Amino acid sequence: MNQLNNVVSLSQISYTWAEDAIPTLQFDHLEINQSEHVFIKGPSGSGKSTLLGLLTGIITPQSGKVQILNTDLASLKQNQRDKFRADHIGYIFQQFNLLPYLSMVENVILPCHFSNMRKKKVDGELRETAIELLKRLHLDEKLLNKPIVELSIGQQQRVAAARALIGRPELLIADEPTSSLDFDNRTSFIELLMEEAELAKSTLVFVSHDPTLESMFDRSIQLNELNKKALTHSKESK
């Protein structure tokens, strides 16, 4: 596999939470290529949150190497990892984490206030780009001035997706963002997300415990099979 095409490369990984006796994650290798749409599944306690913490540099493994876009995250200081994450990673949280005191558009453009790199990759005015992105994600322009708290779950989800996508980050991570939706809405959201990821040339890593979504993705990774051990002790809450 061509290393230059790898967005994610993890090798000889072992991560153990301080109070645990055995690793939450322990595996030899994981690679995800540029523009791939990858589905990562596993039951509660299988290490999904720990893996996402490693991919984003929020935590670093006790052993092994985490490379994102050919950058060894452990070689960076914490503030450098924070900047790297802001520049290169769009994140859709399970609970969306929208700021209620900001408008819909202000929520979307927020990453560009933390990353000049993403701001420079926006074609045209930030506000207009955000509105266009929201419209492509099927949000009516009439909703733009509506408070975040008055939006439906599905509408909030699309705002969160637009926020993650603005500035065309190379890596897009979705952490169970469809868990509150019914099947039809889950499917339509993922289709829209994939279309936008392709336009942005972003690699999509989608984490879920819902196996019905698996067939929509290029590749599926079962964390229980990736891990070397069956893990019985974990700090994971999901």
Side-chain angles (χ1 to χ4, degrees):
M1 202 173 283
N2 186 347
Q3 188 178 8
L4 294 177
N5 291 328
N6 291 344
V7 171
V8 172
S9 180
L10 280 68
S11 57
Q12 305 303 318
I13 294 297
S14 182
Y15 187 89
T16 307
W17 292 101
E19 68 272 25
D20 289 346
I22 58 174
T24 298
L25 284 179
Q26 189 175 45
F27 59 87
D28 293 332
H29 208 63
L30 171 62
E31 286 187 347
I32 299 174
N33 280 350
Q34 183 178 353
S35 300
E36 263 197 301
H37 297 165
V38 176
F39 184 83
I40 295 179
K41 62 180 179 177
S44 296
S46 62
K48 296 191 299 293
S49 293
T50 302
L51 179 61
L52 294 187
L54 293 174
L55 294 180
T56 54
I58 292 172
I59 57 175
T60 55
Q62 283 88 8
S63 64
K65 182 177 286 190
V66 177
Q67 287 186 296
I68 306 296
L69 299 166
N70 296 315
T71 298
D72 182 357
L73 295 189
S75 70
L76 304 178
K77 296 178 182 178
Q78 184 61 59
N79 65 323
Q80 292 174 318
R81 291 201 297 272
D82 292 343
K83 185 178 186 306
F84 183 90
R85 182 167 57 250
D87 285 343
H88 301 289
I89 300 175
Y91 203 110
I92 308 173
F93 296 89
Q94 183 174 6
Q95 302 301 326
F96 311 142
N97 290 10
L98 299 174
L99 301 182
Y101 54 85
L102 296 181
S103 71
M104 189 187 299
V105 173
E106 286 169 338
N107 266 283
V108 173
I109 66 177
L110 193 60
C112 295
H113 294 310
F114 294 101
S115 171
N116 283 330
M117 181 179 291
R118 284 174 70 172
K119 186 176 181 179
K120 288 176 182 176
K121 288 163 72 176
V122 170
D123 299 322
E125 294 294 324
L126 266 180
R127 179 178 172 81
E128 294 307 313
T129 300
I131 292 171
E132 181 60 32
L133 192 49
L134 289 166
K135 286 163 67 176
R136 290 206 304 267
L137 286 164
H138 296 184
L139 275 163
D140 196 310
E141 205 165 348
K142 295 175 183 175
L143 297 171
L144 291 179
N145 295 317
K146 200 169 186 180
I148 291 294
V149 292
E150 293 182 16
L151 299 178
S152 70
I153 293 296
Q155 289 165 344
Q156 289 184 41
Q157 179 194 56
R158 284 165 167 74
V159 176
R163 182 182 59 186
L165 284 157
I166 198 163
R168 302 196 298 274
E170 292 94 331
L171 178 59
L172 182 63
I173 294 175
D175 183 8
E176 304 218 38
T178 59
S179 57
S180 303
L181 303 179
D182 60 39
F183 180 77
D184 288 342
N185 282 323
R186 286 200 301 268
T187 302
S188 62
F189 172 75
I190 291 172
E191 288 172 347
L192 283 172
L193 184 62
M194 287 181 171
E195 288 173 12
E196 291 302 319
E198 287 177 7
L199 284 173
K201 295 182 171 59
S202 297
T203 299
L204 174 60
V205 174
F206 192 101
V207 174
S208 179
H209 64 276
D210 185 353
T212 63
L213 306 175
E214 187 175 351
S215 63
M216 301 180 69
F217 291 80
D218 300 331
R219 181 158 61 102
S220 177
I221 296 168
Q222 168 61 264
L223 265 187
N224 281 355
E225 295 174 3
L226 182 69
N227 258 334
K228 285 185 174 181
K229 298 179 180 179
L231 306 175
T232 56
H233 302 286
S234 176
K235 191 177 180 179
E236 292 287 311
S237 59
K238 58 184 216 175

